[in-house]
Amino acid sequence: MTKQERAMNTRHALIRSAAQAFDQFGYTRAKLAGISAGAGVSSGALHFHFDTKAAMAAAVESEAARTLHALARHAQRKSPSPLQALVDSSHVIAQQLRWDVVVRAGFHLNCRTAHHSETNLRQEWLECVRRTLERSAAHGQTPPQAVREELTAAVVGATAGFEALARHDRTWLSRHTLTGLWHTLLPQLATPKALTQLQPAGTDSVINATGSTTAPATGSTAADRPAGAGALRS
């Protein structure tokens, strides 16, 4: 293994350890000593890669954003229609938030009111929903007379609420729970013809193909991991 490869592996280990600490204790209570110990490296190695805890939090957030963007792009490319892509995006993002500690911690850090970042993942999700509904209307899936801003607000409010509730109970982000949400929302979003072609539970081939490039978080259980698994910009 080259020196560069060892440095990259150390950095990845530190990011994952930091994510676990932020997820368990929160940003303020997470300790650098615990993060370096969790990664199995010295405090000197930690400071070689990250000057401060804030820099480490930014790295966790950046990695989470990269993963979520990739997942959203995947759903947009592989789903059979714009409205189905919205459903599938919500499932794959919820799936990753549920079982990947880096994504979960990074998303929470990004959404903290006291945390300043160039990326606003919730705002990106809102814009993704809005653009997807506009494409859905252009494809004849969504009734043209529908008030899309109100529908956008309903989708974003419901999914953001599930994410907040899942901080104490991850079943709020389960596929079963999201399927129930889409069973309720889709009749308001889709034309009668389009509704017969939509899958509230998501497209299996899209959902099961995600997560294969990201290792499960340490301490995750089988229930936390996505079935079939080894962005928000649309």
Side-chain angles (χ1 to χ4, degrees), residues 198-219:
L198 294 169
Q199 300 180 61
T203 306
D204 284 337
S205 61
V206 175
I207 295 173
N208 293 341
T210 61
S212 58
T213 60
T214 307
T218 301

Side-chain angles (χ1 to χ4, degrees), residues 104-227:
R104 187 166 59 250
F107 190 89
H108 292 172
L109 286 167
N110 184 261
C111 295
R112 290 175 65 241
T113 56
H115 185 74
H116 300 288
S117 172
E118 295 179 359
T119 302
N120 185 327
L121 293 174
R122 281 183 176 169
Q123 182 64 31
E124 288 186 5
W125 174 238
L126 185 151
E127 292 170 358
C128 177
V129 172
R130 180 185 292 118
R131 288 194 297 268
T132 303
L133 289 179
E134 288 172 352
R135 286 200 298 271
S136 176
H139 282 74
Q141 280 194 301
T142 299
Q145 71 273 18
V147 183
R148 287 194 296 275
E149 284 301 318
E150 292 181 0
L151 296 179
T152 296
V155 172
V156 172
T159 50
F162 278 15
E163 185 276 327
L165 290 166
R167 297 182 191 187
H168 302 288
D169 180 359
R170 290 188 202 168
T171 59
W172 282 101
L173 290 176
S174 69
R175 192 171 182 182
H176 173 76
T177 303
L178 279 198
T179 299
L181 172 67
W182 286 115
H183 270 300
T184 301
L185 290 179
L186 285 176
Q188 310 301 318
L189 299 173
T191 63
K193 179 180 178 180
L195 189 60
T196 64
Q197 302 170 340
L198 294 169
Q199 300 180 61
T203 306
D204 284 337
S205 61
V206 175
I207 295 173
N208 293 341
T210 61
S212 58
T213 60
T214 307
T218 301
S220 63
T221 65
D224 292 327
R225 294 192 289 272

